């Protein structure tokens, strides 16, 4: 009986440690580099390519750096994203160093507020997963009807999950040998 209780206690410690290591919100520099918020030079340079290779969770933040005298960031609805309508923004950011916290799951649409930039490809769709995916480590692909544009296939940021798992497993094994 004592062995069972000990194993149960260790498993609870393991779950707790895993939840701590896997729950930290992240900041993403849009495009993965400073001043990436610009008209792409080619389709392969699209910010959606960058977004497809990233995994965004509720609580994470996006950070844009750009020349505030020449550009801005608009959070828009799907229809405005498709048509590049800059007159009906949900939010407008124009400080040159913009940070937006992703507060709900689903697709988030951003376009440039500079004349003609959106039409030339300066826009991005970010698909945000719910908090429960932070612990599970598995993410469903979004429905094609949810997102207009290139398919967005979320990827697993397994490195932090594996590191947390190994630390927790090491602690658990260490307790068992005590």
């Amino acid at each position: 009986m004592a062995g069972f209780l000990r194993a149960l206690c260790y498993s609870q410690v393991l779950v707790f440690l895993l939840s701590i290591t896997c729950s930290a919100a992240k900041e993403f520099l849009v495009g993965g580099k400073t001043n990436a918020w610009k008209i792409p030079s080619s389709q392969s340079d699209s910010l959606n390519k960058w977004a497809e290779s990233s995994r965004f969770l509720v609580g994470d933040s996006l950070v844009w750096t750009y020349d505030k005298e020449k550009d801005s960031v608009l959070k828009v609805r799907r229809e405005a994203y498709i048509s590049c309508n800059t007159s009906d923004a949900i939010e407008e950011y124009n400080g040159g160093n913009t940070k937006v916290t992703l507060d709900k799951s689903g697709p988030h649409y951003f376009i440039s507020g500079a004349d003609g930039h959106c039409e030339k490809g300066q826009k991005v769709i970010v698909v945000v997963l719910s908090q429960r995916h932070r612990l599970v480590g598995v993410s469903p692909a979004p429905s094609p009807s949810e997102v207009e544009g290139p398919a967005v296939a979320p990827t697993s940021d397994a490195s932090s999950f594996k590191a947390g798992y190994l630390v927790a497993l090491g602690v658990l094994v260490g307790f068992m040998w005590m």
Side-chain angles (χ1 to χ4, degrees):
M1 180 69 165
F4 172 75
L5 290 176
R6 186 180 205 184
L8 182 62
C9 181
Y10 293 144
S11 66
Q12 288 178 346
V13 168
L14 178 65
V15 168
F16 174 73
L17 291 172
L18 281 173
S19 68
I20 289 173
T21 59
C22 298
S23 63
K26 295 180 181 178
E27 279 190 8
F28 292 88
L29 187 59
V30 173
K33 59 187 175 195
T34 304
N35 296 320
W37 188 240
K38 61 184 180 182
I39 297 170
S41 58
S42 68
Q43 188 65 9
S44 64
D45 193 28
S46 162
L47 289 175
N48 282 327
K49 294 285 185 190
W50 165 80
E52 289 172 8
S53 67
S54 301
R55 181 173 181 220
F56 306 100
L57 300 170
V58 171
D60 290 343
S61 298
L62 299 175
V63 177
W64 282 264
T65 57
Y66 53 92
D67 183 347
K68 69 181 183 177
E69 302 299 322
K70 298 179 182 177
D71 211 344
S72 63
V73 177
L74 305 178
K75 183 173 184 177
V76 297
R77 291 173 187 77
R78 180 179 181 270
E79 297 76 22
Y81 175 88
I82 293 167
S83 65
C84 289
N85 180 354
T86 59
S87 65
D88 190 25
I90 298 169
E91 295 286 335
E92 181 175 355
Y93 309 97
N94 53 19
N97 190 11
T98 297
K99 180 178 177 181
V100 175
T101 301
L102 302 168
D103 59 354
K104 63 181 180 177
S105 61
H108 294 252
Y109 303 92
F110 299 94
I111 64 173
S112 170
D115 287 339
H117 285 211
C118 177
E119 291 83 355
K120 294 177 182 172
Q122 188 179 347
K123 57 186 182 176
V124 65
I125 303 170
V126 173
V127 178
V128 180
L129 302 173
S130 67
Q131 285 286 351
R132 67 185 171 94
H133 291 101
R134 225 178 258 293
L135 291 176
V136 176
V138 176
S139 56
S143 158
S145 64
E146 289 180 323
V147 180
E148 181 68 27
V152 179
T155 58
S156 173
D157 182 12
S159 61
S160 64
F161 180 78
K162 287 178 186 173
Y165 177 76
L166 291 175
V167 168
L169 186 60
V171 169
L172 180 62
V173 170
F175 279 128
M176 293 175 84
W177 288 104
M178 293 176 128

